[in-house]
Amino acid sequence: MVWILLIAGVVAVDPLVDVDYAQYLGTARPGGVTDWLGIRYAAPPLANLRFAAPQDPLPAGGVQVADQHGLICLSTPGDPNDTTTSEDCLFLDVYAPSSSTNSSKLPVYFFIQGGGFSTNSNANYNGTGLIEASGMNIVVVNFNYRVGPYGFLASQEVVEGGSLNNGLWDQRKALEWVKKYISRFGGDPDHVVLGGDSAGAGSIVYHLTAYGGRNDGLFHAVAAESQSFATLLTPELSQYQYNNLVIRAGCTGVPDTLACLRNLTTAGLQTININTASPGAQYAPLYMYGPTIDGALLPDLTYRLFADGHFIRVPAIFGDDTNEGTIFVYNTTNTIGDSDAFIQAQFPNVTLQQLATINSMFPEVNETFPMAPNAGHYWRQGSNAYGEIRYICPGIFISGALQRAGIPGSWNYHYNVEDPSQVAEGYGVPHTVEVNAIWGPQYVSGTPPASYLTTNAQVVPVMQGYWTSFIRSFDPNTYRYPGSAEWSTWGEQGYQRLLIQSNGTMVEMVPEAQQTRCAYLSSIGINLRQ
């Protein structure tokens, strides 16, 4: 029997929640947080729904026991025999204070995981730590979305017989689910903060500029970690990706190549699901599939949209880690030719003159922290260049655009908390490492740096204080951790950001040298198709 508790005429959030098409039974944990794991927010994207926009979830009879995460979406490349992934992957998790009611209207943190639009790299993070840090005053939602060709295959055939940008449509489908149902878990559908890291933060950027900045009321503030500006193609420019997949599938001799791809088994498609070199590049990029300019959801290049003011005006946090590029650039990069070939593989439109200018701005030698043993001489050079091109400078550009648009709440951060092991390995403070502090090291699905449980443990409540304050009030300062610095906005003059280090927080100005580099890199962003 399921008991419903009545408090002053209000129905308390019960572990059994009805979402119209199904009933999900969550788990009330001893610490005061209830979780519902593996909730379907869309129909299984199988058969004719492969390469199609997400559809409403199908009705399910009986009580669904929501105590297991759903399988995560298939990766590119990916092992066809991986039992942790599935094409049937459109699930979400909800975490809420057990004491909340269906009229609590708690702020909602909706987290979009990263993975370069090629994998679900932050799956199944546990929202308990953030809820506890908020004083039991928020609801947390995370979810899976399609990636690789399942989420982002593009071509004329897909335009005519499928749907572009399905991974982004999955995200919006989950946001629509939150709008419709989150009040039944204690959340406020009119107070939703989008969070995300890497490709998840890049997704935030695409939702801000969707339809040229049309506000559909799906979210009300954003907090983006290491926003990613990758190469954006059109269906026409993506045709080579589709053609290569069709050739590998043996579908060239059929009248309907898209139907042929849909008829492949999941294992069969995964066997040929690899990255291939872009036209003009010397080898495949790290991430080939990604969002596509479709003239509607993604109407134009991101740099142009922000420069022209075509974005939703909401309070926003953007920011980056000191060494964004180190985990991406091959540590065997030993010559300037190696470095340039890597940059070209990721941004095939880059010109020889632009590469020459980039090389002049990023010298080989960097004395700021040690090189990894046996690393190539240009690993650090390539890492510094790539980190600023793809991550740091786009964040700086967006913060400035928001400030110029008159948004009073435009904050930026520089995360510089060093883990001794990562520094010794030459990675410095790498891409999205702050997720361990924001969620709490015991609540992430990967292995956190050891120092976040010891010498850097004091950083966790500081980051959680800023994040939960922003989630609750759209301002990172309102409920910030005692003793942490007041986080100033980008400022009328610009380039003002929060520096987070092991020994504390303070406001800093973006160094002039970085301002100069970013001014150039942003100026060529449209040419690079960012």
Side-chain angles (χ1 to χ4, degrees):
M1 177 179 293
V2 177
W3 294 96
I4 298 179
L5 177 65
L6 298 179
I7 304 176
V10 177
V11 181
V13 171
D14 188 89
L16 184 63
V17 177
D18 191 323
V19 291
D20 297 337
Y21 59 90
Q23 296 181 73
Y24 284 98
L25 180 63
T27 305
R29 306 293 177 181
V33 172
T34 297
D35 55 57
W36 295 262
L37 309 179
I39 295 175
R40 286 191 182 275
Y41 69 87
L46 307 175
N48 287 336
L49 292 184
R50 180 184 283 175
F51 313 129
Q55 301 300 306
D56 290 339
L58 303 174
V63 172
Q64 311 299 307
V65 179
D67 62 353
Q68 299 288 326
H69 299 290
L71 294 175
I72 65 175
C73 298
L74 298 164
S75 297
T76 303
D79 181 357
N81 300 312
D82 184 357
T83 58
T84 68
T85 62
S86 173
E87 194 169 0
D88 181 8
C89 62
L90 300 184
F91 301 97
L92 58 76
D93 299 336
V94 178
Y95 297 82
S98 301
S99 60
S100 61
T101 72
N102 61 359
S103 63
S104 292
K105 292 188 177 296
L106 295 178
V108 178
Y109 183 54
F110 181 93
F111 181 73
I112 308 174
Q113 60 182 306
F117 298 112
S118 289
T119 189
N120 288 173
S121 64
N122 309 105
N124 305 332
Y125 279 13
N126 189 323
T128 299
L130 278 167
I131 291 173
E132 291 174 346
S134 75
M136 300 296 184
N137 282 302
I138 65 173
V139 171
V140 175
V141 178
N142 56 26
F143 69 107
N144 303 327
Y145 59 94
R146 284 173 289 175
V147 291
Y150 306 93
F152 296 101
L153 188 65
S155 71
Q156 187 59 37
E157 292 84 352
V158 175
V159 170
E160 294 173 357
S163 171
L164 300 172
N165 294 314
N166 293 315
L168 295 180
W169 286 115
D170 292 346
Q171 296 172 9
R172 293 180 84 84
K173 190 72 170 176
L175 280 167
E176 290 167 359
W177 185 97
V178 166
K179 187 82 171 175
K180 188 171 184 178
Y181 296 118
I182 202 62
S183 63
R184 304 184 189 187
F185 298 81
D188 184 353
D190 296 317
H191 187 129
V192 176
V193 175
L194 288 194
D197 69 319
S198 195
S203 299
I204 288 173
V205 171
Y206 297 134
H207 293 304
L208 283 172
T209 58
Y211 300 103
R214 187 183 81 191
N215 192 344
D216 293 337
L218 296 176
F219 58 90
H220 311 92
V222 301
E225 308 162 50
S226 301
Q227 57 294 309
S228 173
F229 274 30
T231 299
L232 276 174
L233 302 179
T234 62
E236 293 74 20
L237 293 174
S238 302
Q239 188 71 43
Y240 78 95
Q241 300 172 359
Y242 181 88
N243 291 349
N244 287 348
L245 190 63
V246 167
I247 290 169
R248 292 196 299 275
C251 291
T252 54
V254 303
D256 188 339
T257 55
L258 187 63
C260 186
L261 291 177
R262 281 176 167 151
N263 287 333
L264 292 175
T265 65
T266 301
L269 182 49
Q270 277 301 88
T271 300
I272 60 171
N273 182 14
I274 61 173
N275 294 322
T276 58
S278 303
Q282 300 181 56
Y283 53 80
L286 295 172
Y287 310 109
M288 183 179 71
Y289 296 104
T292 304
I293 295 175
D294 59 9
L297 185 65
L298 267 63
D300 204 342
L301 296 169
T302 308
Y303 264 120
R304 185 178 286 133
L305 289 167
F306 274 96
D308 294 344
H310 297 313
F311 53 86
I312 300 171
R313 272 68 171 164
V314 292
I317 290 173
F318 285 89
D320 287 276
D321 307 272
T322 303
N323 307 109
E324 286 285 352
T326 50
I327 67 170
F328 299 106
V329 179
Y330 308 124
N331 64 8
T332 55
T333 301
N334 200 43
T335 68
I336 194 64
D338 293 340
S339 176
D340 286 349
F342 176 87
I343 297 297
Q344 181 199 43
Q346 320 312 317
F347 301 100
N349 273 33
V350 68
T351 67
L352 296 180
Q353 182 57 54
Q354 289 164 351
L355 282 172
T357 302
I358 290 168
N359 292 339
S360 71
M361 294 191 303
F362 297 93
E364 173 190 359
V365 178
N366 187 330
E367 304 292 351
T368 55
F369 38 115
M371 291 291 293
N374 304 315
H377 292 297
Y378 278 82
W379 175 41
R380 183 68 69 195
Q381 186 270 353
S383 298
N384 291 344
Y386 181 67
E388 291 199 348
I389 294 170
R390 183 153 184 166
Y391 301 104
I392 296 173
C393 295
I396 286 173
F397 184 85
I398 290 174
S399 291
L402 298 179
Q403 188 76 29
R404 289 190 296 275
I407 297 174
S410 174
W411 291 271
N412 191 286
Y413 71 89
H414 168 200
Y415 192 78
N416 192 43
V417 176
E418 295 184 346
D419 172 74
S421 295
Q422 291 179 327
V423 171
E425 293 169 357
Y427 292 107
V429 183
H431 179 67
T432 70
V433 69
E434 74 273 27
V435 295
N436 299 285
I438 291 172
W439 290 84
Q442 68 271 47
Y443 294 115
V444 299
S445 53
T447 302
S451 66
Y452 280 71
L453 296 165
T454 56
T455 55
N456 281 324
Q458 73 279 3
V459 175
V460 176
V462 171
M463 289 298 284
Q464 290 187 329
Y466 286 127
W467 247 251
T468 58
S469 178
F470 185 75
I471 294 165
R472 295 172 65 187
S473 68
F474 303 148
D475 186 327
N477 295 298
T478 309
Y479 305 105
R480 72 181 187 274
Y481 187 70
S484 57
E486 182 173 353
W487 189 344
S488 301
T489 59
W490 189 245
E492 291 184 8
Q493 304 305 314
Y495 297 107
Q496 193 167 254
R497 65 188 181 188
L498 183 72
L499 173 63
I500 303 115
Q501 300 192 108
S502 300
N503 60 354
T505 53
M506 60 179 288
V507 174
E508 68 168 9
M509 297 296 293
V510 176
E512 288 189 11
Q514 190 171 61
Q515 292 184 37
T516 300
R517 293 193 301 271
C518 284
Y520 173 74
L521 294 174
S522 294
S523 77
I524 66 172
I526 290 175
N527 178 257
L528 298 185
R529 299 199 60 84
Q530 291 178 288

